[in-house]
Amino acid sequence: MTDAATVDLHFLDMASEADKDATPLVVIHGLMGSADNWRSHLKVWQRSRRVIAVNLRNHGRSPHSEDMRYATMSQDVLALMDKLSITQAHVLGHSMGGKVAISLARLAPERVVSLLVGDIAPVVYQHGHDDVFAALERAREGQPKNRREADDLLAEHVDSRATRLFLATNLVRTDDNVLGLRVGLDEIQRGYSDIIGLPAGDTPFEGPTLVLRGSESHYVTDDMLPTLRDILPKARIVTLKQAGHWLHAEQPEAFQQAVDAFIQHYDS
């Protein structure tokens, strides 16, 4: 399943010598993230299987595009799987990437051995990234010459040092010797209503599903679970203690172990 509107995604392909028969794992980052954010996890999962981490459109080194609909973004990932001759995979997505993963699983269930969703529900969210967009716009406008200047600019809109460090991963040195944005910020902002909207697909995904949520996060609340189970009826919900929305960064070992145990159970 591919579409004329797909883009050729940049990706990391971590081949494994351990078990060439194990089902591959496809990892999909969240808003303003990239495959690079997952390198420490990829090294762990690579011990047992091939792992592919994608850069979604408008993120990392992937092309920019105006279309941020989940149907289109999931088709990007399916096109990459086709390109890499991956017939079936475990599919893991965090936040926005989780909605891409849910969309892929609903639109092409035959390609998904198991679905793993990190701290997101298949619901419509309220606008919540105005400070992030303002911070990145300020950094683009300010043309910082180094990371310290960039942090000062980001701090005008974002108080959290951890969040600023995360956002700073989207800054790269330009030909003008300043730090510029590599994300498609304008395209992301114009497509934001799609990003906070529902995942694509009209039918439930009936395959095995693990939903990992942070105990300190409000992205997957108990009152969302009935809707979640309508769309992911076989979902197993696991709450990681002392973790917020970036649960894979805040509780990396618990996150890795939960993913490992789940996908090993469903390896073909």
Side-chain angles (χ1 to χ4, degrees), residues 35 92 129 195 225 238 257 260:
L92 163 64
H129 292 89
I195 293 169
L225 296 184
V238 174
Q257 290 169 4
D260 246 345

mmCIF file of all heavy atoms in Angstrom, residues 35 92 129 195 225 238 257 260:
data_model
loop_
_atom_site.group_PDB
_atom_site.id
_atom_site.type_symbol
_atom_site.label_atom_id
_atom_site.label_comp_id
_atom_site.label_asym_id
_atom_site.label_seq_id
_atom_site.Cartn_x
_atom_site.Cartn_y
_atom_site.Cartn_z
ATOM 1 N N ALA A 35 14.538 9.957 14.762
ATOM 2 C CA ALA A 35 15.098 8.630 15.013
ATOM 3 C C ALA A 35 16.291 8.701 15.953
ATOM 4 O O ALA A 35 16.517 7.796 16.760
ATOM 5 C CB ALA A 35 15.502 7.988 13.681
ATOM 6 N N LEU A 92 6.116 0.278 16.780
ATOM 7 C CA LEU A 92 6.114 1.044 18.026
ATOM 8 C C LEU A 92 6.105 2.533 17.696
ATOM 9 O O LEU A 92 6.934 3.010 16.920
ATOM 10 C CB LEU A 92 7.366 0.703 18.849
ATOM 11 C CG LEU A 92 7.770 1.658 19.977
ATOM 12 C CD1 LEU A 92 6.706 1.689 21.067
ATOM 13 C CD2 LEU A 92 9.127 1.252 20.557
ATOM 14 N N HIS A 129 0.875 23.095 22.156
ATOM 15 C CA HIS A 129 2.272 23.278 21.766
ATOM 16 C C HIS A 129 2.598 24.713 21.365
ATOM 17 O O HIS A 129 3.601 24.952 20.690
ATOM 18 C CB HIS A 129 2.626 22.318 20.620
ATOM 19 C CG HIS A 129 2.635 20.872 21.021
ATOM 20 N ND1 HIS A 129 1.511 20.085 20.966
ATOM 21 C CD2 HIS A 129 3.637 20.085 21.501
ATOM 22 C CE1 HIS A 129 1.811 18.868 21.375
ATOM 23 N NE2 HIS A 129 3.079 18.842 21.709
ATOM 24 N N ILE A 195 -2.579 16.861 13.409
ATOM 25 C CA ILE A 195 -1.720 16.195 14.377
ATOM 26 C C ILE A 195 -2.455 15.925 15.688
ATOM 27 O O ILE A 195 -2.307 14.854 16.288
ATOM 28 C CB ILE A 195 -0.448 17.032 14.630
ATOM 29 C CG1 ILE A 195 0.417 17.062 13.365
ATOM 30 C CG2 ILE A 195 0.352 16.499 15.815
ATOM 31 C CD1 ILE A 195 1.562 18.061 13.412
ATOM 32 N N LEU A 225 -9.948 5.363 28.257
ATOM 33 C CA LEU A 225 -9.753 3.934 27.996
ATOM 34 C C LEU A 225 -10.916 3.276 27.257
ATOM 35 O O LEU A 225 -10.673 2.422 26.391
ATOM 36 C CB LEU A 225 -9.454 3.194 29.302
ATOM 37 C CG LEU A 225 -8.138 3.597 29.992
ATOM 38 C CD1 LEU A 225 -7.897 2.728 31.220
ATOM 39 C CD2 LEU A 225 -6.951 3.499 29.039
ATOM 40 N N VAL A 238 -0.272 -0.702 30.324
ATOM 41 C CA VAL A 238 0.772 -0.766 31.356
ATOM 42 C C VAL A 238 1.161 0.657 31.727
ATOM 43 O O VAL A 238 1.484 1.468 30.850
ATOM 44 C CB VAL A 238 2.010 -1.541 30.860
ATOM 45 C CG1 VAL A 238 3.142 -1.461 31.886
ATOM 46 C CG2 VAL A 238 1.651 -3.000 30.586
ATOM 47 N N GLN A 257 12.296 -2.965 28.692
ATOM 48 C CA GLN A 257 11.931 -4.316 29.126
ATOM 49 C C GLN A 257 10.488 -4.639 28.771
ATOM 50 O O GLN A 257 10.180 -5.757 28.355
ATOM 51 C CB GLN A 257 12.169 -4.457 30.629
ATOM 52 C CG GLN A 257 13.641 -4.470 31.012
ATOM 53 C CD GLN A 257 13.876 -4.345 32.511
ATOM 54 O OE1 GLN A 257 12.931 -4.320 33.304
ATOM 55 N NE2 GLN A 257 15.133 -4.267 32.909
ATOM 56 N N ASP A 260 10.414 -5.262 24.991
ATOM 57 C CA ASP A 260 11.087 -6.532 24.686
ATOM 58 C C ASP A 260 10.215 -7.730 25.027
ATOM 59 O O ASP A 260 10.042 -8.644 24.223
ATOM 60 C CB ASP A 260 12.408 -6.627 25.460
ATOM 61 C CG ASP A 260 13.599 -6.612 24.527
ATOM 62 O OD1 ASP A 260 13.417 -6.808 23.319
ATOM 63 O OD2 ASP A 260 14.727 -6.414 25.018
#
